[in-house]
Amino acid sequence: MKSLKENGIDHVGYVVADFEKTVQHIKDYYGIDDFKFWEFNPLKAWAYGKPVDEYKLKVGMATINDGGACIEIITPITEYGYHYDFIKSGKNGLNHLCFKVDDYPYWREHFIEKCGEFLFEAEIEDDLVGYRRCFYADDPVAGMVYEIREIPHFRK
């Protein structure tokens, strides 16, 4: 069996209700201020295994540890799906650990066998970064959500 430890943690993700307040808090309290911001609008998205249209998130990513890992801040724009449900359930804050992998199909099958249905899944493609996929898998034993994100590549 392969191990995720070979890949290391890419980022720690937070899903929050007040995006600006959280970003400012991280800047003020922790001195992490090199955020890059964008609207996440994937080509395709699924919430709880069902396709959804126009899934949108506001995302801020800050690099820490000389690029070894990042902090990701997310707030939902669309009023449905996993991220929205997380906030509406009264939760706010730490949400997932992300591992970046070069063998996405292997890890997708691995987590389907272990966890069953994914909480969220998306396909993204742009001219700057390329094509990539990701999914969120719930691990109820550890009480944690894992994001597995494909290392971007350009398709021919």
Side-chain angles (χ1 to χ4, degrees):
M1 182 176 116
K2 294 183 179 186
S3 170
L4 284 173
K5 75 178 184 176
E6 299 163 5
N7 302 316
I9 294 174
D10 181 68
H11 68 261
V12 176
Y14 294 80
V15 177
V16 301
D18 191 329
F19 187 85
E20 287 75 18
K21 180 180 176 182
T22 304
V23 168
Q24 193 60 51
H25 172 78
I26 290 172
K27 288 179 177 183
D28 293 345
Y29 279 63
Y30 306 108
I32 300 169
D33 60 0
D34 61 342
F35 278 91
K36 293 180 182 156
F37 302 100
W38 66 91
E39 185 175 290
F40 177 82
N41 187 11
L43 295 171
K44 297 178 184 177
W46 297 263
Y48 313 109
K50 296 179 182 172
V52 294
D53 294 326
E54 293 297 314
Y55 202 95
K56 292 184 182 180
L57 305 170
K58 186 173 183 180
V59 178
M61 187 76 79
T63 302
I64 57 175
N65 191 24
D66 294 327
C70 297
I71 292 177
E72 178 183 53
I73 308 299
I74 299 171
T75 198
I77 296 172
T78 50
E79 294 184 353
Y80 53 82
Y82 171 71
H83 300 87
Y84 180 78
D85 292 346
F86 183 82
I87 296 298
K88 288 301 171 190
S89 72
K91 298 175 186 171
N92 188 71
L94 183 60
N95 179 262
H96 64 270
L97 291 177
C98 177
F99 294 88
K100 196 183 292 186
V101 301
D102 61 3
D103 49 359
Y104 186 85
Y106 171 85
W107 288 107
R108 189 177 189 285
E109 288 305 312
H110 174 81
F111 276 94
I112 285 174
E113 289 176 15
K114 299 289 184 191
C115 302
E117 183 178 79
F118 295 147
L119 303 170
F120 175 73
E121 189 170 9
E123 291 183 19
I124 309 99
E125 187 165 24
D126 56 47
D127 293 335
L128 185 63
V129 179
Y131 178 77
R132 62 250 186 233
R133 298 170 286 182
C134 69
F135 65 81
Y136 287 24
D138 185 30
D139 181 345
V141 174
M144 190 67 215
V145 172
Y146 296 96
E147 177 183 2
I148 302 299
R149 190 169 90 183
E150 183 174 38
I151 294 173
H153 60 279
F154 289 97
R155 301 190 291 178
K156 294 183 179 10

